[in-house]
Amino acid sequence: MSKRTRAGTLTGLTALTVAGLALGTVLAAPAGAATPRPPGFLSAADLPPHPSSSWTAGRVTAGASPDVESDRCLAMALGGGRNSWYRDFRTDLDTSARQVSVRLSSVSAAKGRFARIDRDIKSCAARIERADPEVEAELKDYGKLNVEEGAHVYGLHTETSWGATDIRLLSVGRDGTTVTVVDWGRLGDFGDAPVKAFKKTTVTAVAKLH
């Protein structure tokens, strides 16, 4: 059964659904530094199908996405951006997505990062409302998925006092020392969220890590 929490919208966070995604942002690596090989990422074909627009995938980019760093739900996903990668996806309309993956130094560290991101998503709606009284947010817990070391899926609906409404689907999963987050968003409400297809996308994301 879904768990609901009343609260408000993402301030600056809904770059996914309001401001769009900045593709190809790169965090420069120190000169001479070895570039670790990234984990496996979703392809455009792995995203929930859009009824009237195909998905376009950006490149897998090392470092910290500025949009994620300022995101109240997912800021912990990247930590400092070390051993982190992200990939942005977009459609020609109002739907976009992002995958973020982080490779930790140990299984214990990965478990801790997974737990922290999961807690941050659960408390995200309340923090959004505290930060902006003009926004209401509601969180739904869509449950856990049985893939590798596990994944968890959530939905977040935000609405402003002037009527702007956005829906996001968020998931966090882990395989060994690697944690990944998938973030899908568009204008709309819970009725516009392709939960079943997003769960399949999440399973694919975790399975592709290694």
Side-chain angles (χ1 to χ4, degrees), residues 112-148:
R113 181 67 61 88
F114 177 98
R116 174 60 190 273
I117 296 169
D118 194 58
R119 288 196 304 270
D120 281 1
I121 294 173
K122 286 179 180 177
S123 63
C124 181
R127 286 184 284 113
I128 288 167
E129 285 193 333
R130 284 198 300 269
D132 190 345
E134 298 297 314
V135 174
E136 288 188 348
E138 182 180 354
L139 182 75
K140 283 189 178 183
D141 185 339
Y142 288 119
K144 297 179 181 180
L145 300 176
N146 184 21
V147 55
E148 299 301 340

Side-chain angles (χ1 to χ4, degrees), residues 10-55:
L10 333 184
T11 23
L13 235 208
T14 311
L16 284 175
T17 56
V18 176
L21 294 170
L23 293 178
T25 305
V26 179
L27 187 71
T35 303
R37 183 177 179 179
F41 268 74
L42 293 167
S43 67
D46 297 321
L47 274 291
H50 192 283
S52 57
S53 178
S54 59
W55 284 97

Side-chain angles (χ1 to χ4, degrees), residues 20-126:
L21 294 170
L23 293 178
T25 305
V26 179
L27 187 71
T35 303
R37 183 177 179 179
F41 268 74
L42 293 167
S43 67
D46 297 321
L47 274 291
H50 192 283
S52 57
S53 178
S54 59
W55 284 97
T56 300
R59 59 181 173 171
V60 175
T61 303
S65 163
D67 289 331
V68 177
E69 287 184 307
S70 62
D71 189 315
R72 283 197 177 89
C73 294
L74 300 178
M76 262 300 295
L78 286 173
R82 183 179 179 183
N83 291 332
S84 299
W85 298 264
Y86 64 96
R87 188 175 207 178
D88 290 336
F89 304 85
R90 63 177 176 81
T91 66
D92 293 332
L93 299 174
D94 65 348
T95 308
S96 51
R98 175 179 293 117
Q99 182 182 4
V100 176
S101 294
V102 186
R103 185 174 292 133
L104 285 303
S105 59
S106 65
V107 168
S108 177
K111 287 180 178 178
R113 181 67 61 88
F114 177 98
R116 174 60 190 273
I117 296 169
D118 194 58
R119 288 196 304 270
D120 281 1
I121 294 173
K122 286 179 180 177
S123 63
C124 181

